Amino acid sequence: MPRPRKCKKICYLPHNLEFRPVTESANESCVFLTLVEFETIRLIDKEGLSQEECGERMEVARTTVQQIYTSARRKLAEVLVEGLPLKIAGGDYRICEGEGFHCGCGGCKKRRTRMENGDHKEEE
Ligand SMILES: [Zn+2]
C-alpha cells in the first residue's frame, strides 16, 4: 500500500559537494549522491550508528535506511572502482532544526541559514 513520501531529516550538509579524481577518466559520467544518502554514510560509517539508530535520527524506518544506505554504498563503490567524479546534491530531505529527541547535533539552524543563502563553502 502506498504511503506518502516523508522527508528524511538530515543534520549535516557536506563542506564539499563535488569530488574529482586526480586522473581524468575517459568516462565522462559522474555519480550523483543525494544529501540523504550522504547522511546515511555519515551516521552509519563515520559515527558508527546502527541502521536502526540512523533511522531514528532521520525519522524514517530502518528498512528505508537500509535501502538508502545500500544505494549510497553502491555509488561510492562506483566512484572508487571506476574513478568517477562525485557530486552531492538533492534528495528528499529537510534540514534538522535541532528539535528532535534523537538529534545529537548542534547548530543545525545555523547550517540551514547558510544553505538558504547558498553559502555552503563558508561553513567551518
Ligand atoms: Zn540535528
Side-chain angles (χ1 to χ4, degrees):
M1 96 184 125
R3 287 200 298 169
R5 280 166 72 89
K6 193 181 166 192
C7 286
K8 290 83 181 169
K9 187 177 87 171
I10 66 172
C11 287
Y12 187 86
L13 291 170
H15 300 200
N16 291 295
L17 295 171
E18 196 171 335
F19 296 85
R20 294 199 157 274
V22 174
T23 309
E24 281 297 321
S25 93
N27 194 332
E28 290 292 306
S29 63
C30 176
V31 173
F32 290 89
L33 194 71
T34 68
L35 284 160
V36 174
E37 288 169 335
F38 177 92
E39 183 77 339
T40 63
I41 295 290
R42 184 182 75 84
L43 290 174
I44 294 169
D45 289 328
K46 176 87 168 36
E47 298 210 351
L49 298 191
S50 68
Q51 292 186 3
E52 182 137 21
E53 290 166 331
C54 178
E56 286 171 0
R57 289 269 193 105
M58 297 176 75
E59 298 178 351
V60 292
R62 191 197 62 81
T63 49
T64 306
V65 167
Q66 191 172 28
Q67 288 164 13
I68 298 166
Y69 181 63
T70 301
S71 163
R73 291 292 288 261
R74 188 173 297 133
K75 288 178 180 180
L76 291 181
E78 238 181 292
V79 166
L80 294 176
V81 175
E82 308 285 339
L84 296 174
L86 173 74
K87 285 182 184 171
I88 305 169
D92 187 16
Y93 69 91
R94 67 184 181 84
I95 306 291
C96 170
E97 297 186 59
E99 82 286 12
F101 174 71
H102 292 291
C103 175
C105 73
C108 287
K109 273 187 175 163
K110 203 166 74 176
R111 291 195 190 102
R112 190 173 81 142
T113 306
R114 283 180 178 165
M115 193 192 68
E116 282 167 354
N117 293 338
D119 198 15
H120 281 101
K121 298 255 158 84
E122 285 191 18
E123 188 181 323
E124 72 275 358

